[in-house]
Amino acid sequence: GVPPNLYIIGTMNTSDRSVEALDAALRRRFSFTEMPPKPELIAQEGTLKAKQGVVEEIDVPKLLTVINKRIEKLLDKDHQIGHSYFMSVKSLDDLKRAFQNKIVPLLQEYFFGDYGKIGLVLGDAFVEAEKKSEGDIFASFKGVQGGEYEDRITYKIKDISELTAADFIKVYFPKTKT
């Protein structure tokens, strides 16, 4: 038996499909409380509390809200990014590190490396088309012609360390000019 004063608190990301059997077993035995992202906590309890969630004119709660709306449209609400990634952000460099080391890799996983969709979430400031290669880059292979893939546009993530505050603001105000 389990003593009545013992509480087990665990977290699980619903997007982690490798543990579906475990997830189903746990759901049969325990009750769950959904913990959706709460961007307002960045301004109320995070290290940007004194600045109401703003770092170098970037409204971090608004940034997270817009990103999550786009993710929900492209995937579902279970793939939204949590506010915890931004709770310790104190500077633009911290925000860049959060995107470089946490947010962008998560989006790459969510969208299986489809940079077009990542671009729909973050915009032109974060994702760019790669230069086309010159000539035929594919090996000779009978039955399949590589030519149909030659014109396919491929994308890459820009160097986040070089982004400006204005680039982050463009995520939630896409028509802003710099």
Side-chain angles (χ1 to χ4, degrees):
V2 177
N5 63 343
L6 177 66
Y7 292 92
I8 300 173
I9 299 173
T11 62
M12 178 179 271
N13 187 335
T14 58
S15 66
D16 190 353
R17 301 297 178 215
S18 64
V19 293
E20 281 186 86
L22 175 62
D23 184 39
L26 290 171
R27 288 182 190 277
R28 285 193 305 268
R29 292 169 177 85
F30 299 98
S31 63
F32 285 78
T33 303
E34 183 178 9
M35 301 294 290
K38 295 181 181 176
E40 67 276 6
L41 292 181
I42 298 166
Q44 295 170 356
E45 298 178 17
T47 54
L48 291 173
K49 180 179 175 180
K51 297 178 182 179
Q52 291 82 42
V54 176
V55 61
E56 291 196 31
E57 298 184 27
I58 303 165
D59 185 334
V60 180
K62 185 173 189 118
L63 176 70
L64 178 58
T65 299
V66 169
I67 287 171
N68 279 337
K69 283 182 183 179
R70 293 172 182 165
I71 291 171
E72 187 173 0
K73 285 286 188 185
L74 292 169
L75 292 171
D76 55 48
K77 73 179 185 71
D78 291 334
H79 286 82
Q80 293 182 69
I81 294 169
H83 57 274
S84 64
Y85 290 114
F86 301 96
M87 295 298 283
S88 62
V89 168
K90 294 182 241 177
S91 67
L92 179 57
D93 284 337
D94 288 344
L95 185 62
K96 288 178 183 182
R97 275 190 292 280
F99 270 81
Q100 181 72 45
N101 299 326
K102 299 173 184 176
I103 306 305
V104 169
L106 193 58
L107 292 175
Q108 289 171 320
E109 181 182 327
Y110 284 174
F111 296 115
F112 302 101
D114 183 342
Y115 291 94
K117 287 185 180 169
I118 297 170
L120 289 172
V121 173
L122 298 177
D124 291 326
F126 286 78
V127 181
E128 67 184 346
E130 289 191 291
K131 293 182 174 97
K132 287 187 177 183
S133 59
E134 296 294 323
D136 188 10
I137 65 166
F138 293 104
S140 175
F141 180 68
K142 292 181 179 142
V144 178
Q145 298 298 317
E148 65 186 87
Y149 301 104
E150 292 289 332
D151 293 331
R152 184 171 171 237
I153 298 172
T154 56
Y155 299 93
K156 67 176 184 174
I157 300 293
K158 291 182 181 179
D159 184 349
I160 293 176
S161 68
E162 294 180 7
L163 297 181
T164 65
D167 294 326
F168 283 89
I169 292 169
K170 281 183 189 176
V171 172
Y172 57 90
F173 285 133
K175 306 292 185 217
T176 303
K177 297 191 184 208
T178 54

